[in-house]
Amino acid sequence: MRILIVEDEVHLAEALTQILKKQNYSVDAVHDGRSGLDYAQSGIYDLLLLDIMMPEMDGFTVLKKLRSGGISTPVIMLTAKGEITDMVAGLDYGADDYIAKPFSSEELMARIRAALRRKGEVIPDDTLKLGDMELNTANLRLSVKGKEIKLNLKENELLELLILRKQAVTSKEQIIEKLWGFDSEAEYNNVEVYISFLRKKLVFLNSEVRINTIRNVGYVLEVNR
């Protein structure tokens, strides 16, 4: 999962980044509303943590522009304010949740998990399933019929992306944007290397799931029963 933090308090943004990375999320952080809007419009994020009071563009305006532009990414509003009017406004503009500063890391993580569950992309025990394969995204373990192997973080992120897209073909461009970020210098061969790693591990586990290449398009998971 990739999360965007839009927060003008740099120290808070850095602390949130470290908390989320320890939970195996990929994280980007920006510190003004206009940059937040630009990043969020890329469509590569699974969730946004969005501050309200920011330079250049406030969080409410960012949220309204995203929703009017058809971006349905879950949004949790972050603010130092606790007034009911702000909470109502954020929810009316399309926020999925609202948390007032200061907050504990435990509360934040619980709200993030809840928002992602409502989106329908993860299940409560952090396990994704396809065919005979189970991927635990929390501990980076891939298992098939009791046989288990540990993945590295990028392998975990790539397999998670392919599972969540189900039968849709995922292009190399989409994989690079999702795993490395749209402004990264990652190239197609980076994707090919991790696809190769995952294929070998699926074969090692004797899984019925295969990563098929759709020529000149991308990759898709298929179950060969």
Side-chain angles (χ1 to χ4, degrees):
M1 292 291 177
R2 194 173 195 93
I3 294 177
L4 174 65
I5 300 170
V6 188
E7 167 61 65
D8 68 328
E9 295 182 36
V10 176
H11 292 306
L12 176 57
E14 291 175 347
L16 291 174
T17 297
Q18 293 306 310
I19 290 169
L20 294 171
K21 284 185 174 180
K22 286 181 180 178
Q23 298 298 319
N24 296 321
Y25 291 103
S26 296
V27 185
D28 294 315
V30 294
H31 309 299
D32 67 83
R34 193 168 301 280
S35 296
L37 178 63
D38 290 342
Y39 273 64
Q41 286 176 330
S42 69
I44 68 173
Y45 297 99
D46 299 288
L47 183 135
L48 273 60
L49 298 178
L50 179 62
D51 190 26
I52 291 180
M53 303 301 293
M54 291 184 296
E56 297 195 32
M57 186 181 296
D58 65 79
F60 290 144
T61 302
V62 172
L63 181 57
K64 286 189 287 186
K65 288 181 177 293
L66 289 175
R67 295 301 187 241
S68 65
I71 303 293
S72 60
T73 305
V75 173
I76 298 177
M77 304 295 292
L78 306 177
T79 180
K81 296 181 178 180
E83 289 85 354
I84 294 296
T85 52
D86 286 322
M87 296 177 65
V88 172
L91 295 172
D92 283 345
Y93 292 145
D96 296 83
D97 203 352
Y98 190 106
I99 185 169
K101 307 171 192 174
F103 48 80
S104 68
S105 59
E106 291 81 5
E107 180 184 6
L108 177 64
M109 295 310 305
R111 290 179 181 271
I112 287 173
R113 290 192 296 268
L116 291 173
R117 283 198 296 270
R118 287 194 295 272
K119 188 182 177 185
E121 291 193 337
V122 295
I123 57 180
D125 63 356
D126 297 314
T127 301
L128 298 172
K129 300 179 181 181
L130 181 67
D132 60 359
M133 176 183 71
E134 293 187 9
L135 174 66
N136 189 305
T137 59
N139 62 24
L140 313 184
R141 293 194 175 277
L142 176 64
S143 61
V144 175
K145 299 176 181 177
K147 191 175 183 180
E148 187 176 85
I149 194 169
K150 183 74 177 284
L151 304 181
N152 65 40
L153 183 56
K154 276 290 183 283
E155 291 171 340
N156 181 81
E157 292 175 344
L158 176 53
L159 187 56
E160 179 181 7
L161 174 61
L162 295 175
I163 293 172
L164 293 176
R165 287 181 58 79
K166 298 181 173 64
Q167 305 305 312
V169 177
T170 305
S171 70
K172 292 179 181 177
E173 289 87 352
Q174 289 172 313
I175 293 171
I176 288 173
E177 288 180 355
K178 194 72 169 178
L179 271 62
W180 284 275
F182 64 87
D183 58 348
S184 79
E185 296 182 358
E187 299 179 350
Y188 285 175
N189 67 313
N190 296 97
V191 176
E192 293 164 0
V193 166
Y194 283 102
I195 288 289
S196 176
F197 288 163
L198 283 176
R199 281 175 168 156
K200 290 176 181 177
K201 290 183 177 181
L202 288 170
V203 169
F204 170 78
L205 293 171
N206 196 29
S207 176
E208 64 187 14
V209 178
R210 293 289 183 269
I211 303 173
N212 287 343
T213 301
I214 308 302
R215 188 174 177 83
N216 297 323
V217 181
Y219 304 99
V220 63
L221 287 180
E222 294 187 0
V223 180
N224 300 318
R225 290 189 170 93

